[in-house]
Amino acid sequence: MVVLLLLLCLPFILYLATPKIRKMLSSGVCTSNVQLPGKVVIVTGANTGIGKETAKDLAQRGARVYLACRDVQKGEQVAREIQATTGNNQVLVRKLDLADTKSIRAFAKDFLAEEKHLHILINNAGVMMCPYSKTADGFEMHIGVNHLGHFLLTHLLLEKLKDSAPSRIVNVSSLAHHLGRIHFHNLQGEKFYSAALAYCHSKLANVLFTQELARRLKGSGVTTYSVHPGTVHSELTRHSLFMRWMWQLFFLFIKTPQQGAQTSLYCALTEGLESLSGSYFSDCHLAWVSGQARNETIARRLWDVSCDLLGLPTDW
Ligand SMILES: NC(=O)c1ccc[n+]([C@@H]2O[C@H](COP(=O)([O-])OP(=O)(O)OC[C@H]3O[C@@H](n4cnc5c(N)ncnc54)[C@H](OP(=O)(O)O)[C@@H]3O)[C@@H](O)[C@H]2O)c1
Ligand SMILES: *[C@@H]1O[C@H](CO)[C@@H](O)[C@H](O)[C@H]1NC(C)=O
Ligand SMILES: *[C@@H]1O[C@H](CO)[C@@H](O)[C@H](O)[C@H]1NC(C)=O
């Protein structure tokens, strides 16, 4: 009888306990009180989800924040919202479509002409599980947007970051990188394609690149970090009904976008993190990367192949 009563009450108890459990499970909180007056920041994909919350927090700290969005209208709306809540009116929207190298180059060109400095670059934008499709340049969408797009963007902005050192680059990757593999013979998914795996591969590429870039940037004053934000309630599941169901089923374990932004903020702001450049963080702590992600041979080869695909020199 008591058991039955308990069982009947369980959903109710769970419902009441949800905020507490959620808090317990999302332990990573960025506690830095670093302020950013005079600092310049770019957040890609800042019109929604984790990127929006990251941008809001950085604006709160007084930085000039560029929201780099493919949909300028959505971006403007969010900029107004952030300006209203933070009182910081230096929140600017610029067009950036990471699925089009022309757009990336135009964005960088205007930014470089407009701004003397860049202190923090947050490569946050991402797509997950979209049906097979290609970017304007013929790259498979996941590898094209999540990896190659940010690769080119980082390349174009790197001198400015160096000139503004100490500066930081944060790459939003994912736990999903553990399932990723770099199939050099099928980088564009033309021989076989799985939407779920394509996402994992591109997120592995993020981790590999962070490490390779960190090796190349030693001594430059620019440091780089990759991040797993947690499992976060956002629009990322928009292409997959299955994922939306999973997110609902495991709702207790899902972070809010504001909680999801914490590790990106931690890596962008925490003092004394420089010696860990190239590392991967989750819940505001160092975390394990997959064996593939630690393989320097794969990292170098991917670097060279990416430069080749984008028509860049390999020694940057
Ligand atoms: N949510 C999670 O559980 C989770 C877990 C691990 C990693 N992550 C990573 O966290 C990052 C942020 O994701 P989120 O969860 O906040 O997802 P989201 O709500 O879907 O936000 C993704 C952002 O990326 C932008 N974007 C997509 N394609 C773009 C393109 N071609 N050019 C420019 N911007 C583009 C989107 O713009 P539009 O709104 O215009 O489409 C949106 O602003 C991603 O890199 C994702 O891989 C998320
Ligand atoms: C972030 O990831 C992109 C895509 O993999 C890569 O091109 C870029 O160099 C990385 N940047 C950092 C700082 O890791
Ligand atoms: C790295 O990957 C290459 C190619 O897949 C493999 O031959 C090599 O053994 C790997 N190295 C390590 C240290 O795992």
Side-chain angles (χ1 to χ4, degrees), residues 14-35:
L14 260 181
Y15 176 75
L16 286 181
T18 299
K20 273 232 160 65
I21 298 177
R22 209 172 261 167
K23 205 160 179 195
M24 237 166 56
L25 290 170
S26 47
S27 52
V29 175
C30 171
T31 54
S32 166
N33 47 24
V34 166
Q35 296 298 308

Side-chain angles (χ1 to χ4, degrees), residues 33-89:
N33 47 24
V34 166
Q35 296 298 308
L36 301 169
K39 302 288 183 191
V40 182
V41 173
I42 296 176
V43 182
T44 68
N47 59 281
T48 182
I50 300 167
K52 175 179 164 185
E53 292 300 326
T54 307
K56 191 190 286 170
D57 186 287
L58 296 168
Q60 187 81 54
R61 294 169 191 266
R64 176 153 58 240
V65 181
Y66 282 85
L67 313 181
C69 304
R70 66 172 156 183
D71 184 332
V72 174
Q73 241 173 351
K74 282 196 212 163
E76 292 289 358
Q77 204 175 332
V78 169
R80 280 194 294 275
E81 199 184 310
I82 296 180
Q83 283 167 358
T85 50
T86 63
N88 180 344
N89 55 15

Side-chain angles (χ1 to χ4, degrees), residues 44-52 68-72 74-75 95-100 103-104 123-128 135 141 144-146 150 171-176 199 202-203 206 227-239 247 254-255 257 260 264:
T44 68
N47 59 281
T48 182
I50 300 167
K52 175 179 164 185
C69 304
R70 66 172 156 183
D71 184 332
V72 174
K74 282 196 212 163
K95 164 101 182 163
L96 171 69
D97 183 355
L98 289 158
D100 182 355
S103 169
I104 301 169
N123 287 325
N124 164 85
V127 290
M128 180 173 81
T135 69
M141 195 56 76
V145 169
N146 300 356
H150 281 124
N171 252 348
V172 184
S173 175
S174 172
L175 185 66
Y199 177 71
S202 72
K203 290 289 146 179
N206 288 149
V227 162
H228 169 56
T231 309
V232 180
H233 187 71
S234 71
E235 292 179 43
L236 195 67
T237 52
R238 62 184 103 181
H239 295 294
W247 256 235
I254 308 278
K255 294 183 185 186
S264 295

Side-chain angles (χ1 to χ4, degrees), residues 44 121-124 146-147 150-151 154 168-174 203 205-211 213 224-229 264 267 279-281:
T44 68
L121 168 63
I122 310 234
N123 287 325
N124 164 85
N146 300 356
H147 166 58
H150 281 124
F151 184 72
T154 306
R168 293 189 183 187
I169 312 171
V170 176
N171 252 348
V172 184
S173 175
S174 172
K203 290 289 146 179
N206 288 149
V207 181
L208 284 165
F209 257 99
T210 304
Q211 297 177 353
L213 192 62
T224 79
Y225 311 88
S226 58
V227 162
H228 169 56
S264 295
C267 289
S279 305
Y280 168 80
F281 289 77

